[in-house]
Amino acid sequence: MAKRVLTTESGAPVADNQNSATAGVGGPILLQDQHLLEKLARFNRERIPERVVHARGSGAYGYFEVTDDVTGFTRADFLSEVGKRTETFIRFSTVADSLGGADAVRDPRGFALKFYTDEGNYDLVGNNTPVFFIKDPIKFPDFIHSQKRDPFTGKQEPDNVWDFWAHAPEATHQITWLMGDRGIPASYRHMNGYGSHTYQWTNAAGEAFFVKYHFKTNQGVRSLSADQASELVGKDANSHQTDLLQAIERGVNPSWTLHVQVMPAADAADYRFNPFDLTKVWPHSDYPLQRVGRLVLDRNPDNVFAEVEQAAFSPNNFVPGIGPSPDKMLQGRLFAYADAHRYRLGVNHTHLPVNAPRNAVVDNYGRDGVHATRNGSRHDKNYEPNSYAGPAQTDAALAAPLAIHGWTGTHEAPAHSKDDDFFQAGELFRLMSEDEKGRLVANIAGGLSQVTRDDVIEKNLAHFHAADADYGKRVEEAVRALRED
C-alpha cells in the first residue's frame, strides 16, 4: 500500500517534520520555515472558547424510533407513524464546572438531543432533572456566577452558592433533587432525561397542546453516594465519558423510552399552579405519561472536538408541529443558546457537519461571515423578495399562535391558586424513604454548614422549614451539629 504523504495546510509535501530550518548547523531558526510557523500558529489556535455552562460533555449518535401513535397531538413529520426512525445526536454534560472538571460530581446533567428530521433539525435541550433553580432568565447570569469559581479565590465558594439560593426560594425544589440520591448519576446511561421546559405541540387540525418530555432510562436509574463519587473521581475523572464510550464500542447500546405529559392548551389558564413555571412538575395523576418511542445510542463520534465540542444546540430549532410555550426560561433560552454558539463557533456554526441538517435542504439568504460554506452561485440573489425564483416563505406557521393580553412591563409571573415555591419540594421530601431523607439532609448540611454568614444560613433554613416542618428541623439540627464540631 502506498505510503501517505504528510502535507502543509496548502497541500504541499513536507520534507522534514522532525527538524526546523536553521541558519547553519546549530544556528538560529529561519523565519522562512513555513511549515514550522504554520504548525505553531495552528497549535496556538486549536482551542475555542469553552461553554460558560455545560462545558464538560460527552456525545453519541443514535436514532429515535416511534413506537406509539401521537398524531392526535402533533403533526411533526418525524413522529408521524409508528416504526419511523430519525437519526439523532446527543450531548450529555455537567453544568457548573469547566472543561477540565470531573464527571462524577453533584451537579445537574445536560441532556441535549438533536433530531436530524426530514423537515430540518429539531433540538430538544433539557436536563436530567424535571425542574430548575429559577423561573426567569433575567436571573440566570447571576445564578451561574454564584455557582462558578469566585473571581478572587478562583474556586467554588459555599458562601456564594448558598447566598444566592437564600435569595431564590423557588430553588428549594431543585435543591431537594440535587442534594438527594439522584444528584450524582453513576453514568450518563443510568439517568433519566427531561425536556424540563413546557413545549407546544400542534396537530394537523390546528389544535394546540402543551407537553413535557420524559426520557426514562432502560438501563435503570443508578446513582453514587458522595463517598463513592469521590473515590471514582480519584480513579477516573472522565468516568462518565469512559463508560459511555466503552459501552457503545462493546455494542451495549444504551436506550431510553420517551414519554410525554399532554395538557390541552385550554387547561393552562386555570391550572392550580403556573404550568409554565420551570421550578415545578406536573403531577402524573393530573397528566399521565404517554409513551411515544425509544432513543437508542449506537455510534461514538470519531472526533470529540469536531462532533462534541463543536456540537451546537438551540431550543429555537423547531419543526412544523412543535413550538414554544410561555415558559419564561424557555423564552430566554430561545435567544441565549444560539447566540452562545455564534460567539464560540461563528455565525456559520450550522454549516459544521455535526450541526448541519442531514435530511433537509437548507435554502435561504444567509451569506458571508467567518467559515461560510454556502454562499450560492452567480445566479443566486441575497435578498428577498426577488424575481429570480429564490426560496420563498410557506405562510404555514410551525405551531399554533399564543394568545397575549395586557400591558408591557416587567411583570412577576401570574399567580395561580396553588402557586408557591415550597409545596412541591415538601412533596418530594415526603416521598423519600428514611434512608433517602438522611442522605439528603447530610448532603445539604455538608455544604450549608460551610457558609460563614449566619443570616444566609437562616434564610436557607427557612426555605426547608417552609417545604416541610420535619425537613427543616432535620437540616437545622444537622447544620448546627457540624458547625459545633
Side-chain angles (χ1 to χ4, degrees):
M1 188 172 70
K3 190 175 182 180
R4 294 169 60 187
V5 174
L6 178 66
T7 73
T8 64
E9 294 293 327
S10 63
V14 173
D16 190 339
N17 193 43
Q18 312 304 317
N19 303 287
S20 304
T22 60
V25 177
I29 288 175
L30 296 174
L31 188 62
Q32 71 184 39
D33 190 340
Q34 183 263 350
H35 176 52
L36 169 67
L37 300 188
E38 179 181 83
K39 196 172 179 181
L40 293 179
R42 182 174 182 85
F43 177 76
N44 288 343
R45 292 162 176 80
E46 279 185 0
R47 297 294 174 263
I48 59 177
E50 70 174 43
R51 291 166 169 86
V52 177
V53 288
H54 296 277
R56 170 69 191 156
S58 302
Y61 291 96
Y63 63 87
F64 179 79
E65 180 177 13
V66 178
T67 58
D68 295 77
D69 183 7
V70 291
T71 55
F73 305 120
T74 179
R75 62 187 175 93
D77 181 71
F78 78 100
L79 300 174
S80 61
E81 58 182 300
V82 172
K84 184 160 188 173
R85 287 189 177 187
T86 299
E87 185 182 3
T88 61
F89 181 79
I90 194 167
R91 186 176 186 271
F92 304 106
S93 55
T94 53
V95 176
D97 213 343
S98 62
L99 187 59
D103 286 342
V105 294
R106 189 173 298 280
D107 200 15
R109 300 299 190 276
F111 195 98
L113 187 59
K114 189 182 297 291
F115 298 84
Y116 298 102
T117 87
D118 294 339
E119 298 178 300
N121 289 352
Y122 171 47
D123 289 354
L124 181 60
V125 179
N127 284 322
N128 73 327
T129 61
V131 293
F132 196 61
F133 298 93
I134 54 175
K135 62 181 76 174
D136 193 306
I138 204 166
K139 299 174 74 169
F140 188 74
D142 299 297
F143 163 62
I144 294 300
H145 288 163
S146 75
Q147 310 296 303
K148 300 285 277 188
R149 295 174 185 269
D150 182 84
F152 171 65
T153 66
K155 61 189 182 73
Q156 288 180 305
E157 291 292 347
D159 275 1
N160 299 351
V161 171
W162 289 96
D163 184 37
F164 182 88
W165 286 345
H167 294 87
E170 70 268 29
T172 309
H173 192 187
Q174 174 72 317
I175 293 169
T176 306
W177 268 89
L178 180 62
M179 297 299 174
D181 281 357
R182 296 192 181 190
I184 313 177
S187 78
Y188 290 131
R189 296 184 296 128
H190 294 93
M191 67 182 194
N192 294 334
Y194 302 89
S196 301
H197 296 289
T198 301
Y199 294 90
Q200 186 205 81
W201 276 6
T202 310
N203 65 18
E207 296 174 296
F209 303 86
F210 293 118
V211 300
K212 283 185 175 290
Y213 294 87
H214 300 248
F215 289 86
K216 299 292 188 178
T217 175
N218 294 326
Q219 291 70 238
V221 172
R222 285 179 48 201
S223 303
L224 302 173
S225 68
D227 290 342
Q228 290 171 326
S230 295
E231 181 179 353
L232 182 58
V233 166
K235 292 179 178 178
D236 181 6
N238 305 301
S239 57
H240 288 27
Q241 163 69 11
T242 301
D243 176 84
L244 182 66
L245 175 74
Q246 292 182 351
I248 295 175
E249 288 296 291
R250 294 196 312 268
V252 181
N253 297 331
S255 65
W256 288 257
T257 299
L258 171 62
H259 300 80
V260 292
Q261 290 178 282
V262 182
M263 174 188 288
D267 289 9
D270 296 322
Y271 194 51
R272 62 184 182 278
F273 58 82
N274 181 359
F276 310 116
D277 180 348
L278 185 56
T279 68
K280 294 182 173 65
V281 298
W282 299 351
H284 293 181
S285 57
D286 291 349
Y287 299 100
L289 295 180
Q290 302 189 46
R291 194 176 66 175
V292 179
R294 66 184 185 123
L295 170 69
V296 179
L297 305 183
D298 60 5
R299 180 165 66 88
N300 283 311
D302 290 325
N303 186 288
V304 171
F305 177 82
E307 299 165 270
V308 179
E309 186 64 13
Q310 291 194 133
F313 299 85
S314 177
N316 63 6
N317 288 339
F318 292 116
V319 292
I322 303 179
S325 78
D327 180 336
K328 292 180 77 173
M329 283 296 295
L330 173 60
Q331 292 283 324
R333 284 171 167 155
L334 296 180
F335 164 76
Y337 273 59
D339 192 57
H341 300 310
R342 294 184 193 107
Y343 158 68
R344 294 182 61 246
L345 303 170
V347 71
N348 291 306
H349 64 273
T350 55
H351 297 195
L352 296 169
V354 69
N355 300 322
R358 304 278 173 97
N359 302 303
V361 175
V362 176
D363 196 359
N364 57 41
Y365 297 93
R367 297 290 186 272
D368 305 334
V370 177
H371 307 313
T373 61
R374 296 195 302 259
N375 266 353
S377 72
R378 69 176 70 182
H379 307 293
D380 296 313
K381 301 301 178 183
N382 65 344
Y383 59 89
E384 197 278 335
N386 62 60
S387 303
Y388 295 87
Q393 65 194 44
T394 65
D395 293 324
L398 298 187
L402 297 173
I404 58 172
H405 59 86
W407 300 93
T408 61
T410 54
H411 306 291
E412 293 186 10
H416 292 233
S417 60
K418 293 292 180 68
D419 268 332
D420 88 22
D421 292 325
F422 308 111
F423 179 72
Q424 289 199 349
E427 284 194 320
L428 180 58
F429 175 79
R430 290 186 287 274
L431 284 173
M432 295 178 180
S433 68
E434 280 301 308
D435 286 346
E436 288 174 319
K437 289 176 180 177
R439 290 189 290 269
L440 168 67
V441 168
N443 290 331
I444 292 174
L448 189 54
S449 63
Q450 297 178 53
V451 174
T452 59
R453 289 183 50 168
D454 290 343
D455 61 322
V456 171
I457 294 176
E458 291 302 320
K459 285 178 182 177
N460 279 285
L461 290 175
H463 297 167
F464 300 121
H465 280 290
D468 181 275
D470 184 46
Y471 189 7
K473 179 175 179 288
R474 291 190 188 199
V475 173
E476 184 172 359
E477 290 175 349
V479 169
R480 184 185 306 116
L482 287 172
R483 296 190 85 199
E484 289 174 350
D485 284 348

